Short mmCIF file of all heavy atoms in Angstrom, two decimals:
data_model
loop_
_atom_site.label_atom_id
_atom_site.label_comp_id
_atom_site.label_asym_id
_atom_site.label_seq_id
_atom_site.Cartn_x
_atom_site.Cartn_y
_atom_site.Cartn_z
N CYS A 857 0.13 28.50 32.35
CA CYS A 857 -0.77 29.33 33.15
C CYS A 857 -0.03 30.50 33.78
O CYS A 857 -0.41 30.96 34.84
CB CYS A 857 -1.42 28.49 34.22
SG CYS A 857 -2.45 27.18 33.60
N THR A 858 1.00 30.99 33.16
CA THR A 858 1.76 32.08 33.75
C THR A 858 1.75 33.34 32.89
O THR A 858 2.27 34.35 33.30
CB THR A 858 3.22 31.67 33.98
OG1 THR A 858 3.79 31.28 32.73
CG2 THR A 858 3.31 30.52 34.96
N ARG A 859 1.18 33.29 31.73
CA ARG A 859 1.17 34.44 30.83
C ARG A 859 0.11 35.43 31.27
O ARG A 859 -1.05 35.08 31.46
CB ARG A 859 0.90 33.95 29.41
CG ARG A 859 0.87 35.03 28.38
CD ARG A 859 0.71 34.42 27.02
NE ARG A 859 0.37 35.46 26.06
CZ ARG A 859 0.11 35.23 24.80
NH1 ARG A 859 0.15 34.01 24.34
NH2 ARG A 859 -0.19 36.20 24.00
N GLU A 860 0.49 36.71 31.43
CA GLU A 860 -0.47 37.74 31.77
C GLU A 860 -1.34 38.05 30.56
O GLU A 860 -0.92 37.88 29.42
CB GLU A 860 0.24 38.99 32.25
CG GLU A 860 0.93 38.80 33.58
CD GLU A 860 1.54 40.09 34.10
OE1 GLU A 860 1.21 41.18 33.59
OE2 GLU A 860 2.34 40.00 35.05
N CYS A 861 -2.58 38.51 30.81
CA CYS A 861 -3.50 38.77 29.72
C CYS A 861 -4.46 39.89 30.08
O CYS A 861 -4.45 40.40 31.19
CB CYS A 861 -4.27 37.50 29.39
SG CYS A 861 -5.20 36.84 30.79
N VAL A 862 -5.31 40.24 29.13
CA VAL A 862 -6.35 41.25 29.33
C VAL A 862 -7.69 40.52 29.25
O VAL A 862 -8.01 39.88 28.24
CB VAL A 862 -6.27 42.34 28.23
CG1 VAL A 862 -7.37 43.37 28.41
CG2 VAL A 862 -4.91 42.99 28.24
N VAL A 863 -8.47 40.57 30.34
CA VAL A 863 -9.73 39.82 30.42
C VAL A 863 -10.69 40.21 29.30
O VAL A 863 -11.35 39.36 28.72
CB VAL A 863 -10.39 40.02 31.81
CG1 VAL A 863 -11.74 39.33 31.87
CG2 VAL A 863 -9.50 39.49 32.90
N GLU A 864 -10.76 41.46 28.95
CA GLU A 864 -11.71 41.92 27.94
C GLU A 864 -11.29 41.57 26.52
O GLU A 864 -12.12 41.56 25.61
CB GLU A 864 -11.89 43.44 28.04
CG GLU A 864 -12.48 43.90 29.37
CD GLU A 864 -11.44 44.00 30.48
OE1 GLU A 864 -10.23 44.13 30.20
OE2 GLU A 864 -11.85 43.92 31.65
N ALA A 865 -10.01 41.28 26.29
CA ALA A 865 -9.52 41.00 24.93
C ALA A 865 -9.66 39.51 24.62
O ALA A 865 -9.23 38.66 25.39
CB ALA A 865 -8.06 41.42 24.81
N SER A 866 -10.25 39.22 23.48
CA SER A 866 -10.47 37.81 23.12
C SER A 866 -9.21 37.14 22.57
O SER A 866 -9.15 35.92 22.52
CB SER A 866 -11.60 37.71 22.08
OG SER A 866 -11.22 38.41 20.90
N ASP A 867 -8.21 37.94 22.17
CA ASP A 867 -7.01 37.35 21.57
C ASP A 867 -5.76 37.49 22.45
O ASP A 867 -4.65 37.36 21.97
CB ASP A 867 -6.75 37.98 20.20
CG ASP A 867 -6.50 39.48 20.28
OD1 ASP A 867 -6.79 40.09 21.33
OD2 ASP A 867 -6.03 40.03 19.28
N SER A 868 -5.94 37.70 23.74
CA SER A 868 -4.78 37.88 24.61
C SER A 868 -4.19 36.56 25.09
O SER A 868 -3.13 36.54 25.69
CB SER A 868 -5.12 38.77 25.80
OG SER A 868 -6.08 38.17 26.62
N CYS A 869 -4.87 35.43 24.83
CA CYS A 869 -4.38 34.10 25.20
C CYS A 869 -4.41 33.18 23.98
O CYS A 869 -5.17 33.41 23.05
CB CYS A 869 -5.26 33.48 26.29
SG CYS A 869 -5.16 34.32 27.88
N PRO A 870 -3.60 32.11 24.00
CA PRO A 870 -3.69 31.11 22.93
C PRO A 870 -5.11 30.53 22.87
O PRO A 870 -5.86 30.59 23.86
CB PRO A 870 -2.68 30.03 23.36
CG PRO A 870 -1.74 30.73 24.27
CD PRO A 870 -2.55 31.79 24.96
N THR A 871 -5.48 29.96 21.75
CA THR A 871 -6.86 29.52 21.53
C THR A 871 -7.36 28.50 22.56
O THR A 871 -8.53 28.49 22.87
CB THR A 871 -7.02 28.91 20.13
OG1 THR A 871 -6.08 27.86 19.97
CG2 THR A 871 -6.83 29.95 19.05
N GLU A 872 -6.50 27.65 23.09
CA GLU A 872 -6.97 26.63 24.03
C GLU A 872 -7.08 27.15 25.46
O GLU A 872 -7.53 26.44 26.35
CB GLU A 872 -6.06 25.39 24.00
CG GLU A 872 -4.67 25.62 24.53
CD GLU A 872 -3.69 26.13 23.49
OE1 GLU A 872 -4.08 26.37 22.34
OE2 GLU A 872 -2.53 26.29 23.85
N LEU A 873 -6.68 28.41 25.69
CA LEU A 873 -6.74 29.00 27.02
C LEU A 873 -7.67 30.21 27.04
O LEU A 873 -8.01 30.76 26.01
CB LEU A 873 -5.33 29.43 27.46
CG LEU A 873 -4.28 28.34 27.50
CD1 LEU A 873 -2.92 28.93 27.85
CD2 LEU A 873 -4.65 27.24 28.47
N GLU A 874 -8.06 30.61 28.27
CA GLU A 874 -8.87 31.80 28.42
C GLU A 874 -8.25 32.68 29.51
O GLU A 874 -7.55 32.19 30.39
CB GLU A 874 -10.31 31.45 28.78
CG GLU A 874 -10.48 30.86 30.16
CD GLU A 874 -11.93 30.50 30.48
OE1 GLU A 874 -12.77 30.50 29.57
OE2 GLU A 874 -12.21 30.21 31.65
N CYS A 875 -8.51 33.97 29.42
CA CYS A 875 -7.98 34.91 30.40
C CYS A 875 -8.89 34.90 31.63
O CYS A 875 -10.10 35.13 31.52
CB CYS A 875 -7.90 36.30 29.80
SG CYS A 875 -7.04 37.47 30.88
N ARG A 876 -8.31 34.57 32.79
CA ARG A 876 -9.07 34.51 34.04
C ARG A 876 -8.32 35.24 35.14
O ARG A 876 -7.09 35.36 35.10
CB ARG A 876 -9.28 33.06 34.46
CG ARG A 876 -10.12 32.28 33.51
CD ARG A 876 -10.58 30.95 34.03
NE ARG A 876 -9.99 30.50 35.26
CZ ARG A 876 -9.58 29.26 35.48
NH1 ARG A 876 -9.68 28.36 34.54
NH2 ARG A 876 -9.07 28.91 36.63
N VAL A 877 -9.06 35.70 36.13
CA VAL A 877 -8.45 36.33 37.30
C VAL A 877 -8.19 35.21 38.31
O VAL A 877 -9.12 34.55 38.78
CB VAL A 877 -9.37 37.41 37.90
CG1 VAL A 877 -8.74 38.00 39.15
CG2 VAL A 877 -9.66 38.49 36.88
N ILE A 878 -6.91 34.99 38.61
CA ILE A 878 -6.50 33.94 39.55
C ILE A 878 -5.66 34.60 40.63
O ILE A 878 -4.60 35.18 40.34
CB ILE A 878 -5.69 32.84 38.83
CG1 ILE A 878 -6.51 32.23 37.71
CG2 ILE A 878 -5.22 31.78 39.81
CD1 ILE A 878 -5.75 31.28 36.81
N ASP A 879 -6.13 34.52 41.87
CA ASP A 879 -5.44 35.14 43.01
C ASP A 879 -5.13 36.61 42.75
O ASP A 879 -4.05 37.10 43.05
CB ASP A 879 -4.16 34.38 43.35
CG ASP A 879 -4.43 32.96 43.82
OD1 ASP A 879 -5.49 32.73 44.43
OD2 ASP A 879 -3.57 32.08 43.57
N GLY A 880 -6.07 37.32 42.15
CA GLY A 880 -5.91 38.74 41.92
C GLY A 880 -5.11 39.10 40.68
O GLY A 880 -4.95 40.27 40.37
N GLU A 881 -4.59 38.10 39.97
CA GLU A 881 -3.82 38.36 38.74
C GLU A 881 -4.60 37.87 37.53
O GLU A 881 -5.30 36.87 37.60
CB GLU A 881 -2.47 37.65 38.81
CG GLU A 881 -1.55 38.17 39.90
CD GLU A 881 -0.19 37.50 39.83
OE1 GLU A 881 0.41 37.54 38.74
OE2 GLU A 881 0.22 36.96 40.85
N LYS A 882 -4.43 38.56 36.42
CA LYS A 882 -5.08 38.15 35.16
C LYS A 882 -4.10 37.28 34.40
O LYS A 882 -3.05 37.74 33.95
CB LYS A 882 -5.46 39.38 34.34
CG LYS A 882 -6.47 40.26 35.04
CD LYS A 882 -6.72 41.53 34.28
CE LYS A 882 -7.66 42.43 35.05
NZ LYS A 882 -7.80 43.73 34.43
N LEU A 883 -4.44 35.97 34.27
CA LEU A 883 -3.55 34.99 33.66
C LEU A 883 -4.28 34.13 32.64
O LEU A 883 -5.47 33.86 32.78
CB LEU A 883 -2.95 34.08 34.73
CG LEU A 883 -2.13 34.74 35.83
CD1 LEU A 883 -1.80 33.73 36.92
CD2 LEU A 883 -0.87 35.35 35.27
N CYS A 884 -3.55 33.67 31.63
CA CYS A 884 -4.09 32.69 30.69
C CYS A 884 -4.13 31.34 31.40
O CYS A 884 -3.14 30.91 31.98
CB CYS A 884 -3.21 32.59 29.44
SG CYS A 884 -3.22 34.08 28.43
N ALA A 885 -5.29 30.69 31.37
CA ALA A 885 -5.46 29.43 32.08
C ALA A 885 -6.43 28.53 31.31
O ALA A 885 -7.14 28.97 30.41
CB ALA A 885 -5.99 29.68 33.48
N VAL A 886 -6.45 27.27 31.71
CA VAL A 886 -7.38 26.30 31.13
C VAL A 886 -8.79 26.73 31.49
O VAL A 886 -9.04 27.13 32.64
CB VAL A 886 -7.07 24.89 31.69
CG1 VAL A 886 -8.07 23.87 31.17
CG2 VAL A 886 -5.66 24.47 31.32
N PRO A 887 -9.74 26.66 30.56
CA PRO A 887 -11.11 27.06 30.85
C PRO A 887 -11.71 26.25 32.00
O PRO A 887 -11.37 25.08 32.20
CB PRO A 887 -11.87 26.77 29.55
CG PRO A 887 -10.83 26.70 28.50
CD PRO A 887 -9.58 26.24 29.17
N GLU A 888 -12.59 26.86 32.77
CA GLU A 888 -13.27 26.17 33.86
C GLU A 888 -14.09 25.01 33.31
O GLU A 888 -14.72 25.13 32.26
CB GLU A 888 -14.21 27.13 34.59
CG GLU A 888 -13.49 28.24 35.29
CD GLU A 888 -13.37 28.00 36.78
OE1 GLU A 888 -14.13 27.19 37.31
OE2 GLU A 888 -12.50 28.64 37.39
N GLY A 889 -14.08 23.88 34.00
CA GLY A 889 -14.89 22.74 33.61
C GLY A 889 -14.34 21.94 32.45
O GLY A 889 -15.01 21.06 31.93
N GLY A 890 -13.14 22.18 32.03
CA GLY A 890 -12.58 21.42 30.92
C GLY A 890 -11.09 21.56 30.86
O GLY A 890 -10.49 22.32 31.60
N GLY A 891 -10.51 20.82 29.98
CA GLY A 891 -9.08 20.87 29.81
C GLY A 891 -8.73 21.04 28.35
O GLY A 891 -9.60 21.10 27.50
N CYS A 892 -7.46 21.11 28.08
CA CYS A 892 -7.05 21.28 26.69
C CYS A 892 -6.61 19.95 26.09
O CYS A 892 -6.03 19.91 25.03
CB CYS A 892 -5.93 22.32 26.61
SG CYS A 892 -4.51 21.95 27.64
N CYS A 893 -6.88 18.87 26.79
CA CYS A 893 -6.59 17.54 26.22
C CYS A 893 -7.82 16.67 26.37
O CYS A 893 -8.77 17.03 27.05
CB CYS A 893 -5.37 16.91 26.90
SG CYS A 893 -5.61 16.62 28.65
N SER A 894 -7.79 15.50 25.78
CA SER A 894 -8.97 14.66 25.77
C SER A 894 -8.92 13.56 26.81
O SER A 894 -9.66 12.61 26.72
CB SER A 894 -9.14 14.04 24.38
OG SER A 894 -8.00 13.25 24.08
N SER A 895 -8.07 13.65 27.79
CA SER A 895 -8.00 12.62 28.80
C SER A 895 -9.07 12.84 29.86
O SER A 895 -9.60 13.93 30.02
CB SER A 895 -6.61 12.58 29.45
OG SER A 895 -6.39 13.77 30.15
N SER A 896 -9.36 11.79 30.59
CA SER A 896 -10.38 11.85 31.62
C SER A 896 -9.98 10.94 32.77
O SER A 896 -9.23 9.99 32.58
CB SER A 896 -11.72 11.39 31.04
OG SER A 896 -12.68 11.25 32.06
N ASP A 897 -10.50 11.21 33.95
CA ASP A 897 -10.22 10.34 35.08
C ASP A 897 -11.28 9.25 35.23
O ASP A 897 -11.22 8.44 36.13
CB ASP A 897 -10.10 11.14 36.37
CG ASP A 897 -11.38 11.87 36.72
OD1 ASP A 897 -12.29 11.93 35.87
OD2 ASP A 897 -11.46 12.40 37.85
N GLN A 898 -12.26 9.22 34.33
CA GLN A 898 -13.29 8.20 34.38
C GLN A 898 -12.82 6.92 33.70
O GLN A 898 -12.16 6.95 32.68
CB GLN A 898 -14.56 8.70 33.70
CG GLN A 898 -15.18 9.88 34.41
CD GLN A 898 -16.41 10.39 33.69
OE1 GLN A 898 -16.65 10.06 32.53
NE2 GLN A 898 -17.20 11.20 34.36
N ARG A 899 -13.17 5.80 34.30
CA ARG A 899 -12.80 4.49 33.75
C ARG A 899 -13.80 4.08 32.68
O ARG A 899 -14.99 4.33 32.80
CB ARG A 899 -12.79 3.43 34.85
CG ARG A 899 -11.88 3.77 36.00
CD ARG A 899 -10.49 3.35 35.70
NE ARG A 899 -9.64 3.66 36.84
CZ ARG A 899 -8.37 3.85 36.74
NH1 ARG A 899 -7.78 3.77 35.58
NH2 ARG A 899 -7.65 4.10 37.80
N VAL A 900 -13.31 3.45 31.62
CA VAL A 900 -14.18 2.95 30.56
C VAL A 900 -13.86 1.47 30.38
O VAL A 900 -13.04 1.09 29.56
CB VAL A 900 -13.96 3.73 29.23
CG1 VAL A 900 -14.94 3.27 28.18
CG2 VAL A 900 -14.09 5.22 29.47
N PRO A 901 -14.52 0.59 31.18
CA PRO A 901 -14.17 -0.84 31.17
C PRO A 901 -14.47 -1.54 29.85
O PRO A 901 -13.81 -2.51 29.50
CB PRO A 901 -14.99 -1.42 32.31
CG PRO A 901 -16.10 -0.46 32.52
CD PRO A 901 -15.57 0.89 32.12
N TRP A 902 -15.44 -1.06 29.09
CA TRP A 902 -15.78 -1.74 27.84
C TRP A 902 -14.67 -1.63 26.82
O TRP A 902 -14.53 -2.50 25.97
CB TRP A 902 -17.11 -1.23 27.29
CG TRP A 902 -17.11 0.22 26.92
CD1 TRP A 902 -17.47 1.25 27.71
CD2 TRP A 902 -16.69 0.80 25.68
NE1 TRP A 902 -17.31 2.44 27.04
CE2 TRP A 902 -16.84 2.19 25.79
CE3 TRP A 902 -16.21 0.28 24.49
CZ2 TRP A 902 -16.52 3.05 24.76
CZ3 TRP A 902 -15.90 1.15 23.46
CH2 TRP A 902 -16.05 2.52 23.61
N VAL A 903 -13.85 -0.57 26.89
CA VAL A 903 -12.75 -0.41 25.95
C VAL A 903 -11.73 -1.53 26.14
O VAL A 903 -11.25 -2.13 25.18
CB VAL A 903 -12.08 0.97 26.10
CG1 VAL A 903 -10.83 1.07 25.27
CG2 VAL A 903 -13.05 2.07 25.73
N THR A 904 -11.41 -1.85 27.39
CA THR A 904 -10.47 -2.92 27.69
C THR A 904 -11.00 -4.25 27.17
O THR A 904 -10.27 -5.03 26.55
CB THR A 904 -10.22 -3.01 29.21
OG1 THR A 904 -9.77 -1.74 29.66
CG2 THR A 904 -9.19 -4.06 29.53
N GLY A 905 -12.28 -4.51 27.39
CA GLY A 905 -12.89 -5.75 26.91
C GLY A 905 -12.89 -5.84 25.39
O GLY A 905 -12.58 -6.88 24.81
N LEU A 906 -13.20 -4.74 24.74
CA LEU A 906 -13.22 -4.71 23.29
C LEU A 906 -11.82 -4.94 22.72
O LEU A 906 -11.64 -5.72 21.78
CB LEU A 906 -13.79 -3.38 22.79
CG LEU A 906 -13.85 -3.21 21.27
CD1 LEU A 906 -14.80 -4.24 20.66
CD2 LEU A 906 -14.30 -1.80 20.92
N LEU A 907 -10.83 -4.27 23.27
CA LEU A 907 -9.46 -4.45 22.79
C LEU A 907 -8.97 -5.88 23.01
O LEU A 907 -8.30 -6.45 22.14
CB LEU A 907 -8.52 -3.46 23.47
CG LEU A 907 -8.70 -2.00 23.08
CD1 LEU A 907 -7.81 -1.11 23.93
CD2 LEU A 907 -8.41 -1.79 21.61
N THR A 908 -9.32 -6.48 24.14
CA THR A 908 -8.95 -7.87 24.40
C THR A 908 -9.61 -8.81 23.39
O THR A 908 -8.97 -9.73 22.88
CB THR A 908 -9.35 -8.25 25.84
OG1 THR A 908 -8.72 -7.35 26.74
CG2 THR A 908 -8.95 -9.68 26.16
N ALA A 909 -10.89 -8.57 23.09
CA ALA A 909 -11.59 -9.42 22.12
C ALA A 909 -10.97 -9.30 20.73
O ALA A 909 -10.77 -10.30 20.04
CB ALA A 909 -13.07 -9.04 22.08
N VAL A 910 -10.65 -8.08 20.30
CA VAL A 910 -10.05 -7.88 18.99
C VAL A 910 -8.68 -8.54 18.91
O VAL A 910 -8.36 -9.22 17.94
CB VAL A 910 -9.96 -6.37 18.65
CG1 VAL A 910 -9.10 -6.12 17.43
CG2 VAL A 910 -11.36 -5.80 18.46
N LEU A 911 -7.87 -8.37 19.95
CA LEU A 911 -6.56 -8.99 19.98
C LEU A 911 -6.67 -10.52 19.95
O LEU A 911 -5.94 -11.19 19.21
CB LEU A 911 -5.79 -8.54 21.23
CG LEU A 911 -4.37 -9.08 21.36
CD1 LEU A 911 -3.51 -8.63 20.20
CD2 LEU A 911 -3.76 -8.65 22.68
N GLY A 912 -7.61 -11.06 20.71
CA GLY A 912 -7.82 -12.51 20.70
C GLY A 912 -8.25 -13.01 19.33
O GLY A 912 -7.79 -14.05 18.85
N PHE A 913 -9.15 -12.29 18.67
CA PHE A 913 -9.60 -12.67 17.34
C PHE A 913 -8.45 -12.66 16.33
O PHE A 913 -8.29 -13.59 15.55
CB PHE A 913 -10.71 -11.72 16.87
CG PHE A 913 -11.22 -12.01 15.50
CD1 PHE A 913 -12.04 -13.08 15.27
CD2 PHE A 913 -10.87 -11.19 14.43
CE1 PHE A 913 -12.51 -13.36 13.99
CE2 PHE A 913 -11.33 -11.45 13.16
CZ PHE A 913 -12.16 -12.55 12.93
N VAL A 914 -7.63 -11.60 16.38
CA VAL A 914 -6.50 -11.51 15.46
C VAL A 914 -5.51 -12.64 15.70
O VAL A 914 -5.03 -13.27 14.76
CB VAL A 914 -5.80 -10.13 15.59
CG1 VAL A 914 -4.48 -10.10 14.86
CG2 VAL A 914 -6.72 -9.03 15.08
N MET A 915 -5.22 -12.93 16.96
CA MET A 915 -4.28 -14.02 17.28
C MET A 915 -4.84 -15.38 16.83
O MET A 915 -4.12 -16.20 16.28
CB MET A 915 -4.00 -14.04 18.79
CG MET A 915 -3.28 -12.80 19.29
SD MET A 915 -1.59 -12.66 18.71
CE MET A 915 -0.83 -13.89 19.71
N PHE A 916 -6.14 -15.60 17.04
CA PHE A 916 -6.78 -16.85 16.63
C PHE A 916 -6.74 -17.00 15.11
O PHE A 916 -6.40 -18.07 14.60
CB PHE A 916 -8.22 -16.89 17.15
CG PHE A 916 -8.97 -18.11 16.73
CD1 PHE A 916 -8.71 -19.33 17.33
CD2 PHE A 916 -9.95 -18.05 15.75
CE1 PHE A 916 -9.40 -20.47 16.95
CE2 PHE A 916 -10.64 -19.17 15.35
CZ PHE A 916 -10.36 -20.40 15.96
N ARG A 917 -7.08 -15.93 14.38
CA ARG A 917 -7.07 -15.98 12.91
C ARG A 917 -5.66 -16.21 12.38
O ARG A 917 -5.46 -16.98 11.45
CB ARG A 917 -7.62 -14.67 12.32
CG ARG A 917 -9.07 -14.44 12.57
CD ARG A 917 -9.95 -15.23 11.68
NE ARG A 917 -9.73 -14.80 10.30
CZ ARG A 917 -10.16 -15.46 9.25
NH1 ARG A 917 -10.83 -16.57 9.40
NH2 ARG A 917 -9.93 -15.03 8.05
N ARG A 918 -4.68 -15.57 12.97
CA ARG A 918 -3.30 -15.72 12.53
C ARG A 918 -2.81 -17.16 12.76
O ARG A 918 -2.15 -17.74 11.93
CB ARG A 918 -2.40 -14.73 13.28
CG ARG A 918 -1.01 -14.66 12.74
CD ARG A 918 -0.21 -13.62 13.46
NE ARG A 918 -0.41 -12.32 12.81
CZ ARG A 918 0.14 -11.22 13.21
NH1 ARG A 918 0.90 -11.20 14.27
NH2 ARG A 918 -0.06 -10.09 12.55
N ARG A 919 -3.19 -17.74 13.90
CA ARG A 919 -2.78 -19.11 14.22
C ARG A 919 -3.45 -20.10 13.27
O ARG A 919 -2.82 -21.05 12.83
CB ARG A 919 -3.16 -19.41 15.67
CG ARG A 919 -2.39 -20.59 16.21
CD ARG A 919 -2.65 -20.78 17.70
NE ARG A 919 -2.04 -19.71 18.46
CZ ARG A 919 -2.50 -19.20 19.59
NH1 ARG A 919 -3.60 -19.70 20.11
NH2 ARG A 919 -1.88 -18.24 20.20
N ARG A 920 -4.71 -19.88 12.89
CA ARG A 920 -5.42 -20.79 11.98
C ARG A 920 -4.84 -20.72 10.59
O ARG A 920 -4.67 -21.75 9.94
CB ARG A 920 -6.91 -20.45 11.93
CG ARG A 920 -7.67 -20.98 13.10
CD ARG A 920 -9.14 -20.72 12.97
NE ARG A 920 -9.71 -21.55 11.93
CZ ARG A 920 -10.91 -21.39 11.43
NH1 ARG A 920 -11.68 -20.41 11.85
NH2 ARG A 920 -11.38 -22.20 10.50
N THR A 921 -4.51 -19.54 10.10
CA THR A 921 -4.00 -19.41 8.74
C THR A 921 -2.55 -19.93 8.64
O THR A 921 -2.13 -20.36 7.59
CB THR A 921 -4.05 -17.96 8.26
OG1 THR A 921 -3.33 -17.13 9.16
CG2 THR A 921 -5.48 -17.48 8.14
N ALA A 922 -1.81 -19.91 9.73
CA ALA A 922 -0.44 -20.41 9.70
C ALA A 922 -0.40 -21.93 9.59
O ALA A 922 0.53 -22.49 9.00
CB ALA A 922 0.31 -19.96 10.96
N HIS A 923 -1.42 -22.62 10.11
CA HIS A 923 -1.46 -24.08 10.06
C HIS A 923 -2.13 -24.61 8.80
O HIS A 923 -2.02 -25.77 8.50
CB HIS A 923 -2.18 -24.62 11.30
CG HIS A 923 -1.41 -24.40 12.56
ND1 HIS A 923 -0.33 -25.17 12.91
CD2 HIS A 923 -1.57 -23.48 13.54
CE1 HIS A 923 0.14 -24.73 14.05
NE2 HIS A 923 -0.60 -23.69 14.46
N ALA A 924 -2.82 -23.80 8.08
CA ALA A 924 -3.56 -24.25 6.90
C ALA A 924 -2.67 -24.45 5.69
O ALA A 924 -1.60 -24.11 5.53
CB ALA A 924 -4.66 -23.25 6.56
#
């Protein structure tokens, strides 16, 4: 977020950034309302449950086939 840019020019920043006026300076920055990565601060509890179930199933199947 330190590269200077031209607000009117569409190619003055890398594709994942946009030119914005920040504290009176024109800088390349992350677009408002989003980021350049797919992480989130929201919790997704079903993912943990699903991963636990899959891991349990794999462990159970592996243990059954080893004794057969």
Side-chain angles (χ1 to χ4, degrees):
C857 297
T858 58
R859 181 175 167 182
E860 292 185 14
C861 58
V862 178
V863 176
E864 297 82 22
S866 62
D867 62 346
S868 64
C869 292
T871 56
E872 68 273 2
L873 302 176
E874 69 181 12
C875 188
R876 295 192 350 223
V877 178
I878 302 172
D879 296 329
E881 295 185 54
K882 297 174 184 173
L883 301 171
C884 292
V886 176
E888 295 259 340
C892 56
C893 62
S894 60
S895 65
S896 171
D897 62 349
Q898 296 178 344
R899 304 275 181 205
V900 185
W902 63 267
V903 172
T904 304
L906 179 64
L907 290 174
T908 302
V910 169
L911 182 61
F913 178 75
V914 169
M915 296 291 286
F916 178 74
R917 292 282 296 167
R918 189 177 273 179
R919 199 173 291 148
R920 280 184 71 192
T921 57
H923 292 284

